[in-house]
Amino acid sequence: MPSRATTIPIAAGSPAIVAEPPTVDLTTTVGGVSLPNPVMCAAGTAGHGAELSAFVDLSRLGAVVVKSLSVDPWPGNPAPRVHPLSTGMINSVGLEGPGLAAWADAELPQLQRAGARVVVSIWGRSIEDYAEAAEALAVLVGRHDQPGAIVALEVNLSCPNLAGKSMFAHDAPAAAQVMAATAVAGLPRWAKLSPNTDRLVQVATACAEAGADAVTLTNTLLGLVIDIETRRPVLGGGGGGVSGPGMGPIAVRAVWDVARALPQLPIIGAGGVCDADSAVQLLMAGASAVQVGTATFADPRAPQRVLDDLTRWCHDHGVTSVAELCGASHR
Ligand code: SIN
């Protein structure tokens, strides 16, 4: 896109020609979904509804991914559920949620009023749980009072905080079965995967073959913090998921590896996104969009700030379309 030029008068002599920064085309397409820009809120970091709208115009973000929901309400894990780290934080929230129907009545209308493009994240303990959640979503999507509100489904295969449950995202055939079972939702489907495996490419391949339109890379790293005074884990759930800026290189590696192996599979990068640098790295590694997570706990304006930083970075580097960054490190 050509840059416009402005003539500004100067005190003496001829007018100076000053180039205005080029307009940046921020639009992106992720697994069948067109978005106005590539910056989203990550699941679990912006609540279930529109609470961030006190700080951020949700309609300006690419999308809002709501905290993972199941068909039934679930109380989550015992407190404390979050703990700060020098590199970010660790959580064991345990997927607390109101259940899909209550969410659709109470929270979805607020997200709609805020103009958000909503991505619903679902979780389950069994393939049947995921299938039921996907069926419930199909009903919601068909409701006349909520047309077009939900743009995609993110299937959370990688929560580290479900007691006694191993992750679907650590088992390629099981992950594929879940993805196949969620087709009934009738929405573009993104599989949210785990960094806690050396078989990420195999799992991503299995999800893609089972119908995933994109993969979100990645969820949190397994971790545990001990309070040395009490000699007990600081989190009520024991272990938890580590997130934040320290996750950046792990997420970049995950995106890089999957993009290299599966260049046709759209990727959403998540992990340590807190500024233009961390977002651009994920895009260059192969992501078409990024999710801001832990940064939002420290600053609820973080998603908007990352979007503004990214836009400014593109201006400053003569990048006229964010699409040209996607996968740039592989070319
Ligand atoms: C949680 O609610 O425990 C976190 C969800 C996740 O990491 O998937």
Side-chain angles (χ1 to χ4, degrees), residues 2 38 68 170 216-217 259 274:
S68 300
H170 289 178
T216 303
L217 305 176
C274 58

Side-chain angles (χ1 to χ4, degrees), residues 195-260:
N196 302 288
T197 172
D198 63 351
R199 277 155 293 155
L200 181 59
V201 169
Q202 288 93 316
V203 175
T205 304
C207 288
E209 286 171 358
D213 298 283
V215 286
T216 303
L217 305 176
T218 66
N219 209 317
T220 53
L221 269 180
L222 289 165
L224 191 145
V225 176
I226 290 174
D227 177 336
I228 57 172
E229 300 304 325
T230 64
R231 304 182 177 201
R232 302 287 308 148
V234 297
L235 295 177
V242 175
S243 60
M247 274 289 295
I250 294 156
V252 171
R253 169 73 185 266
V255 171
W256 172 281
D257 286 351
V258 173
R260 175 141 287 192

